[in-house]
Amino acid sequence: MVEGAGAFVCGEETALIASIEGKAGRPMPRPPYPASHGLYGKPTNINNVETWCNIPVIIEKGSKWFAETGTEKSPGTKVFSLVGKVKNTGLVELPLGSTIEQFVFQIGEGTGNSKRVKAVQTGGPSGGCIPVEHFSTPVDYESLASLGAIMGSGGMVVMDQDNCMVDVARYFLEFNSAESCGKCTPCREGLAQAWQYLPE
């Protein structure tokens, strides 16, 4: 087991490899790809625990069985961390293709009080905020991307009528700007400028 410094950028595979090797967690240009030249120069397959947990059951029951759950392009289930202004918080596992409404209102039971749900933020700090009028959207990789959001590692933060979306945008822009490794111009320059353009 290796304990890293907790940098957000270490979620990127080459930065994670550098961190495991005791170096600063900074992404590297590719090629070479980790599959051919990864950890300590050896071929490396980087995946999260959730992905590795699916492998034994797929080997045992087959890919056809696995593809029976979820959607054609996003098969299987996905674990989400449902948090924020929602009555029932915790880890939720549903088939991919389930709607945002199922997560927030059926399992989460909404805010649990008289306040209205305004939006849900998916995909972590680099994700996007989805307003309540789009909660009929299926939760799969393609549908979330069509809304300008991502699935990421499965974060789902519910916001209510008291959340100011400008403040939310400012918070995540500031976080991503501070956590940027600074290697690519759109991220390094774009985040800082986008943050400056937000009204006070």
Side-chain angles (χ1 to χ4, degrees), residues 163-185:
N163 288 104
C164 170
M165 300 314 289
V166 176
D167 288 343
V168 171
R170 183 182 294 109
Y171 173 81
F172 285 115
L173 278 169
E174 189 173 12
F175 175 87
N176 284 317
S177 183
E179 291 291 323
S180 170
C181 70
K183 285 200 169 187
C184 56
T185 305

Side-chain angles (χ1 to χ4, degrees), residues 138-152:
V139 177
D140 59 49
Y141 294 96
E142 298 77 25
S143 300
L144 291 179
S146 74
L147 295 177
I150 61 173
M151 195 171 309

